[in-house]
Amino acid sequence: MYIQPISLSARALALTLTGTITAVQFPVMPVIVKSPALAVVSWPAAKEQQGDWVYEGQGMDWLARFQSPSGQLLGFALTGKMVAQRLRLAKEMPALIA
């Protein structure tokens, strides 16, 4: 969670210092809570996004998808064993924060 923002900032800075003014653009990044009690991953949608939450799971293992009216994945939250799906779901996420 620290390396990616630093790397993106360094690239933009390097381009700017060499004459190409470049704004930093951060992709949507997950929030990962590492706890011995329950693994949690939250990948929030941009606040202006419109959609609905769809849930699946049971017990401590849940997948919640925030989807646009057309079904595009805009955000998600995972708990328990469902956190194993983080990388698969990350590939469906929009590329940049608006």
Side-chain angles (χ1 to χ4, degrees):
M1 72 179 160
Y2 303 109
I3 301 299
Q4 187 175 15
I6 291 170
S7 177
L8 293 170
S9 297
R11 284 186 200 137
L13 178 59
L15 287 168
T16 298
L17 291 174
T18 57
T20 304
I21 296 175
T22 304
V24 178
Q25 294 186 352
F26 295 109
V28 176
M29 292 177 269
V31 175
I32 301 170
V33 178
K34 295 181 181 181
S35 164
L38 181 65
V40 177
V41 173
S42 174
W43 199 309
K47 65 181 175 179
E48 70 275 356
Q49 295 289 345
Q50 299 293 315
D52 294 301
W53 285 98
V54 178
Y55 306 93
E56 66 178 79
Q58 61 183 2
M60 296 177 69
D61 306 320
W62 285 91
L63 182 154
R65 298 171 58 98
F66 186 72
Q67 297 175 308
S68 72
S70 66
Q72 179 187 12
L73 182 64
L74 302 172
F76 61 86
L78 307 167
T79 64
K81 294 177 183 173
M82 294 292 197
V83 299
Q85 297 187 47
R86 177 177 58 96
L87 295 177
R88 180 183 63 79
L89 292 170
K91 292 178 183 176
E92 295 180 39
M93 290 294 293
L96 296 175
I97 294 174

